[in-house]
Amino acid sequence: MTGVPLNIDLQQIMLHLFNFTILFGALYILLYKPVKNFMEGREQYYADMDSKAEDALRSAEDSRKVYDDKLKAFDEEVRSEKAKLRKDLDAERDRRVAEAKADAEKILSDARTEAGRQKDEIISSAQKEITGMVTDAMEKLTLEQSASDAFDQFLDAAETEDKQQ
Amino acid sequence: MSKQERRKAIIVFAVIAAVFLAASILTGGGSGKEETVQEVMRDAVLHDLNRVNLFGLEVNPGLLSGVIVSTGLIIFALICRIFVIPKFKMVPGRFQLVLETVVGLFSNMAKGNSKINGFLGAYIFAAGTYIFTGTLFELLGVQAVTVSGHSISLPAPLSDINGAIMMGCLSYLVIMSGGIAGNGVKGIGKTLKEYSLPISLSFRLFGALLSGALVTELVYYYSSLSYVLPVLVGVLFTLLHALIQAYVLTMLTSLFYGQVSDNTPKPPKEKRKKHKKQQTETAEKTIDTADAQTAA
């Protein structure tokens, strides 16, 4: 017994301290640091992977946005083109309808003119035919009368001859 | 294994146990007792009778235990460093998981309590490991020969008052280093305010481990108590102490380290009072819980 309460010994405290310091250093170098480094490395690896995935997702979102915008612009363009085409189409249709109307009117008027002409022609030819027929009939009538007279004359002549013989 | 084989194995086991029991009773007879129970208990506290030789120095057996535990831990760490850690995988196996859990536990405890936590994490890892394995070392009953020629079972390193004082004071110095790192000279003042800390840390550790050691000594002193009971006593007074004391010291160290290294600007007076009250309550709660667990 040294007289110190509880047998506290400074030398032994220092020896304990020395022992623990060596243990601390060894555990730190051999176990704590490598394991912690590995854990941090893994955490970093997964964090990198996560951030890469997030970047990829973000870039995909951006691309989607760009394509959405492009698609929207394209849709707009298509819509305006469609409207323009419709307008052109309407104009063309109107034009063609107008043309067709004009053609139809022209055809109608030509037909009317032709019909009028043909009518006139028919009327004139009919008139001519009627005139001819009338002339022929007259001629026929006239001829018929002269022929019978001639025949009568012939018959008279013949009878006369017979009588003479 | 068939039913018959299992029955056979149980019978063989029971016979072997009965033989050992009979042998222990027959070889007893009190001839091995060289000290009274009072002397054993007194020596467990003071370590003034049964001293051991360590490299020519007469020291308490606790120091020899400390050296053995440290050597064992260093060899274990070396084996892990050479054979296990290089083979670590991204998806851990069982042993890797155990190592990562232990390191992560102390590292996260340090992170949770202080912004400056690199050194603190390493310190509480070493301290926690030392307290835990040192306390469990008592269970092994490693024998040593005293300078007077008696055979003794080596105790836990921290059931030696010198070991406990070392751990308490070193923890206090680590806390002070945190104060200096976080607040400079002001940090020393902050740490000195907690002047009772080295004593409380040392004696809490010493008292808790000593109580376990004393009960174990008492149980083993009487051969009639040495059957079955040590299984319970060993678990209750050693394993629980190992866990609780490792947790309490590391928790308190990191808690006070965090307090003294905290350099965030002070909140207004009313808030400060509230903040201080909260901090004190948290620390008191931790200490109370630990003490209650120890007492239980």
Side-chain angles (χ1 to χ4, degrees):
Chain A
M1 286 285 282
T2 51
V4 181
L6 289 168
N7 203 16
I8 294 168
D9 186 344
L10 192 63
Q11 190 192 26
Q12 287 196 46
I13 292 173
M14 289 300 150
L15 284 171
H16 270 290
L17 192 60
F18 172 69
N19 176 45
F20 182 75
T21 310
I22 289 170
L23 176 70
F24 167 73
L27 282 183
Y28 178 69
I29 293 165
L30 297 173
L31 210 59
Y32 184 77
K33 201 178 165 190
V35 173
K36 204 168 176 241
N37 282 349
F38 178 82
M39 284 162 75
E40 281 171 355
R42 184 175 52 196
E43 208 177 307
Q44 191 60 44
Y45 171 76
Y46 283 116
D48 285 349
M49 202 187 246
D50 193 44
S51 78
K52 268 182 195 169
E54 266 181 23
D55 285 348
L57 199 71
R58 206 174 297 126
S59 104
E61 283 283 328
D62 290 346
S63 300
R64 199 174 68 96
K65 215 173 180 180
V66 168
Y67 284 115
D68 274 353
D69 290 346
K70 275 186 183 174
L71 214 62
K72 225 177 258 175
F74 182 70
D75 279 348
E76 196 61 39
E77 203 180 316
V78 166
R79 206 173 293 127
S80 71
E81 278 297 316
K82 264 186 184 173
K84 198 182 158 192
L85 279 175
R86 196 170 291 129
K87 211 174 169 184
D88 289 352
L89 207 67
D90 286 347
E92 181 68 17
R93 192 188 61 201
D94 290 349
R95 190 181 63 78
R96 284 197 183 180
V97 166
E99 261 181 22
K101 268 183 186 171
D103 284 350
E105 268 175 25
K106 196 186 168 205
I107 288 164
L108 209 63
S109 86
D110 285 352
R112 270 184 198 141
T113 314
E114 182 67 18
R117 191 184 59 78
Q118 279 182 2
K119 188 184 157 191
D120 289 346
E121 262 181 21
I122 289 165
I123 289 169
S124 91
S125 79
Q127 274 175 348
K128 270 180 190 170
E129 258 180 50
I130 290 167
T131 312
M133 278 166 72
V134 169
T135 311
D136 283 350
M138 287 300 286
E139 273 177 5
K140 263 182 190 175
L141 277 175
T142 317
L143 271 174
E144 268 177 15
Q145 216 171 3
S146 58
S148 67
D149 284 343
F151 190 66
D152 285 340
Q153 280 175 0
F154 173 72
L155 283 175
D156 288 338
E159 268 176 17
T160 321
E161 261 181 41
D162 279 341
K163 278 171 180 179
Q164 285 176 345
Q165 287 172 354
Chain B
M1 195 186 263
S2 69
K3 244 182 182 179
Q4 211 174 351
E5 281 175 333
R6 204 180 298 160
R7 201 177 293 163
K8 247 185 208 173
I10 292 168
I11 290 167
V12 170
F13 179 75
V15 169
I16 291 170
V19 168
F20 286 148
L21 178 68
S24 69
I25 293 167
L26 291 172
T27 54
S31 59
K33 286 179 183 170
E34 289 155 348
E35 297 164 308
T36 62
V37 69
Q38 286 85 358
E39 280 174 334
V40 170
M41 303 290 263
R42 183 176 178 278
D43 192 52
V45 181
L46 298 175
H47 299 292
D48 58 345
L49 296 175
N50 291 324
R51 308 195 103 201
V52 290
N53 191 337
L54 180 71
F55 306 119
L57 284 170
E58 256 187 45
V59 294
N60 296 346
L63 183 56
L64 182 61
S65 304
V67 172
I68 292 170
V69 168
S70 298
T71 312
L73 279 174
I74 290 169
I75 290 168
F76 172 76
L78 203 62
I79 290 168
C80 285
R81 183 70 189 90
I82 295 168
F83 298 110
V84 181
I85 294 172
K87 289 177 187 167
F88 267 13
K89 288 172 188 164
M90 292 302 257
V91 179
R94 279 180 196 170
F95 188 61
Q96 184 185 340
L97 196 66
V98 171
L99 287 179
E100 283 185 11
T101 307
V102 175
V103 171
L105 175 81
F106 291 109
S107 173
N108 290 337
M109 192 188 278
K111 266 185 202 167
N113 284 298
S114 177
K115 287 175 195 166
I116 313 159
N117 51 48
F119 176 68
L120 176 67
Y123 174 74
I124 59 172
F125 171 73
T129 314
Y130 184 59
I131 295 169
F132 183 74
T133 47
T135 312
L136 287 187
F137 174 75
E138 189 183 67
L139 277 179
L140 298 176
V142 177
Q143 298 293 303
V145 179
T146 62
V147 285
S148 55
H150 299 148
S151 169
I152 55 159
S153 173
L154 286 176
L158 298 170
S159 66
D160 176 6
I161 182 76
N162 298 315
I165 288 175
M166 176 281 295
M167 191 51 87
C169 292
L170 187 62
S171 297
Y172 185 70
L173 288 175
V174 168
I175 291 167
M176 189 178 275
S177 77
I180 294 166
N183 293 306
V185 184
K186 210 171 145 192
I188 300 176
K190 266 187 162 184
T191 317
L192 286 175
K193 265 191 214 170
E194 310 285 351
Y195 57 86
S196 64
L197 207 54
I199 302 164
S200 72
L201 284 175
S202 306
F203 282 84
R204 176 176 292 110
L205 205 55
F206 176 60
L209 294 179
L210 184 70
S211 61
L214 286 180
V215 174
T216 316
E217 286 276 0
L218 198 62
V219 167
Y220 282 112
Y221 187 82
Y222 299 104
S223 58
S224 56
L225 293 174
S226 300
Y227 302 103
V228 183
L229 198 59
V231 178
L232 290 172
V233 171
V235 171
L236 284 176
F237 291 93
T238 312
L239 193 58
L240 284 179
H241 273 149
L243 274 173
I244 294 167
Q245 292 315 313
Y247 175 73
V248 168
L249 187 117
T250 51
M251 188 67 195
L252 286 178
T253 307
S254 49
L255 203 72
F256 282 107
Y257 188 98
Q259 271 183 25
V260 298
S261 64
D262 185 18
N263 55 5
T264 47
K266 283 181 183 176
K269 225 175 183 180
E270 276 181 25
K271 277 187 185 172
R272 204 161 64 202
K273 269 185 188 171
K274 210 175 173 183
H275 182 66
K276 203 173 179 184
K277 202 178 168 188
Q278 267 180 348
Q279 276 188 331
T280 318
E281 274 174 4
T282 316
E284 277 172 0
K285 215 174 175 182
T286 313
I287 295 166
D288 287 348
T289 317
D291 284 343
Q293 281 168 334
T294 312

